[in-house]
Amino acid sequence: MEPVRIADAGQGLRHVFLRDMVLAASIGVYPREHEARQRIRVNVDLAVADASDGVGPDDLARVVDYGLVAEAVRRIVASGHVRLVETLAERIAEACLLDSRVMTARIRVEKLDILPDAESAGVEVERRRR
């Protein structure tokens, strides 16, 4: 199976994204990870159905608002302790797919300070509208 194209004129898809959101999260399975929040980086890539042929009305209501996507990410991260980065990524993908215009959500969640000899460790998930 070939990877999903996030932006594709032939399929009428536009790419909406958030890059490198760094947030403090209560995340992890080890006891020390329950004691303090740790830095995570979140990236969101959305393939969004684009019904327009060219430039449409200059109206926020006709597009997926990346500000609202960022608010959803912040809300999910702040909602309480999560054991796995996989669970957090899935929750973010699920929230993004609540907007019927989002066809595909690709979410990357990275722990930034978890390994002394690596910049980050984490997961990337991709979920499609059924």
Side-chain angles (χ1 to χ4, degrees):
M1 176 186 289
E2 82 179 56
V4 173
R5 303 261 324 244
I6 295 292
D8 188 313
Q11 293 184 39
L13 297 175
R14 104 175 8 151
H15 183 193
V16 175
F17 59 90
L18 294 176
R19 286 284 171 264
D20 300 327
M21 287 185 71
V22 176
L23 303 166
S26 180
I27 191 165
V29 297
Y30 300 107
R32 69 182 181 277
E33 294 177 305
H34 290 255
E35 296 169 7
R37 292 183 171 272
Q38 55 187 299
R39 290 184 325 130
I40 63 168
R41 179 171 41 228
V42 177
N43 282 279
V44 176
D45 292 283
L46 305 176
V48 176
D50 181 9
S52 68
D53 288 329
V55 177
D58 191 23
D59 182 2
L60 185 59
R62 76 176 183 85
V63 299
V64 172
D65 181 350
Y66 53 78
L68 293 178
V69 174
E71 284 178 24
V73 171
R74 289 184 199 102
R75 185 175 58 253
I76 291 165
V77 169
S79 68
H81 188 83
V82 177
R83 292 173 44 90
L84 304 172
V85 290
E86 291 84 353
T87 302
L88 185 58
E90 293 287 357
R91 288 178 182 171
I92 294 169
E94 185 178 72
C96 291
L97 289 168
L98 289 175
D99 188 316
S100 63
R101 298 168 294 186
V102 176
M103 300 293 109
T104 304
R106 187 177 297 151
I107 313 299
R108 177 179 288 196
V109 177
E110 302 169 81
K111 289 182 171 186
L112 299 179
D113 304 312
I114 199 69
L115 299 172
D117 53 353
E119 181 179 324
S120 67
V123 67
E124 182 173 277
V125 301
E126 180 177 280
R127 297 295 173 255
R128 296 181 190 176
R129 176 163 304 290
R130 297 191 189 275

